[in-house]
Amino acid sequence: MISLDLKLQSLTSKDLSAILELDQACFGGLWTMEGYQRELDSPNSDLLGLFSPISRTKLLGMGCFWSILEEAHITILAVHPQYHRQGLGQVLLYSLLKTASDRGLERATLEVRASNLAAISLYQKFGFKTAGRRRRYYQDNGEDALILWRSDLQQPQFQATLADWYTKVSQQLSKSAWQLS
Ligand SMILES: CC(C)(COP(=O)(O)OP(=O)(O)OC[C@H]1O[C@@H](n2cnc3c(N)ncnc32)[C@H](O)[C@@H]1OP(=O)(O)O)[C@@H](O)C(=O)NCCC(=O)NCCS
């Protein structure tokens, strides 16, 4: 079977229209162009994108975190709806956690809708634990947010965990004929 190369790259201002297109497809317009530009300009923000092998302008998924003191605050994790369940979310989360660890950050945290079982299941696979709940956090429907944490990013065994995840993520991708270039 021929595998198609995915490209994982830091996003730049050149990618803004692809970012907005993906934001629209995934969230119906979560952040504005100015919002993404602020992220791209901020030294405390890491914005990663997964590009299709066919076209450099087609963004299949993206993830973002803010470095705040020794914590990575994951603010976005999104895969284009046409490409769900192919392992792309795992690649992105793996890459966010690896980048956070490489930056010397100790732990990662995020908020997720209590009903978002797909995302919660993904986060649990990467060792996130529920630490609390913000009642009626989301203004659109009054839904609660779960607060998840993943600690130990600077423990020596985390490097072995990363290597293990990389193997699993690569195997998952290959089932959908993807590989990371
Ligand atoms: C959450 C999201 C990023 C997952 O992306 P994805 O590429 O489909 O995920 P993967 O194929 O890598 O799946 C990884 C794991 O996530 C979980 N998962 C993903 N989709 C799922 C679903 N529909 N139902 C249950 N579990 C699901 C599973 O544990 C899965 O592992 P498995 O395939 O071995 O069962 C994607 O659904 C998405 O973009 N959702 C909209 C945006 C969003 O909710 N982001 C999170 C905000 S905090």
Side-chain angles (χ1 to χ4, degrees):
M1 183 163 65
I2 297 171
S3 291
L4 293 171
D5 281 345
L6 287 167
K7 291 198 178 9
L8 183 77
Q9 287 170 345
S10 288
L11 294 169
T12 70
S13 297
K14 286 199 211 87
D15 305 312
L16 264 177
S17 59
I19 292 171
L20 286 169
E21 213 174 291
L22 181 64
D23 177 295
Q24 195 62 43
C26 294
F27 303 114
L30 179 68
W31 287 356
T32 60
M33 183 185 281
E34 292 72 28
Y36 281 107
Q37 186 65 63
R38 260 197 309 278
E39 296 306 314
L40 294 168
D41 292 341
S42 166
N44 297 324
S45 187
D46 275 273
L47 198 51
L48 302 178
L50 261 185
F51 286 95
S52 151
I54 316 291
S55 154
R56 176 66 178 79
T57 56
K58 174 76 177 168
L59 193 52
L60 306 184
M62 63 181 167
C64 180
F65 72 85
W66 296 339
S67 301
I68 302 177
L69 300 175
E70 68 280 12
E71 296 167 0
H73 288 244
I74 297 178
T75 52
I76 286 193
L77 181 69
V79 171
H80 193 288
Q82 283 170 5
Y83 295 88
H84 280 181
R85 289 323 277 273
Q86 299 181 22
L88 305 188
Q90 292 187 50
V91 175
L92 282 166
L93 186 54
Y94 162 82
S95 305
L96 291 177
L97 291 172
K98 181 173 189 320
T99 306
S101 168
D102 291 348
R103 286 202 180 282
L105 303 178
E106 302 272 355
R107 49 196 165 267
T109 183
L110 56 91
E111 277 128 12
V112 59
R113 284 178 192 265
S115 67
N116 193 346
L117 300 182
I120 292 166
S121 163
L122 170 59
Y123 293 129
Q124 285 171 342
K125 285 201 158 87
F126 286 79
F128 280 83
K129 304 264 188 283
T130 304
R133 179 182 278 264
R134 291 192 212 284
R135 302 264 169 216
R136 304 187 62 77
Y137 180 74
Y138 295 99
Q139 289 174 356
D140 55 349
N141 63 354
E143 194 176 346
D144 292 355
L146 299 184
I147 306 162
L148 306 190
W149 283 91
R150 203 309 170 187
S151 53
D152 295 340
L153 306 190
Q154 294 306 315
Q155 293 298 311
Q157 72 268 24
F158 190 68
Q159 293 308 313
T161 302
L162 278 174
D164 184 40
W165 284 343
Y166 185 82
T167 306
K168 289 193 178 130
V169 163
S170 302
Q171 284 167 354
Q172 189 76 17
L173 283 180
S174 66
K175 288 187 198 156
S176 303
W178 296 117
Q179 65 184 17
L180 271 176
S181 61

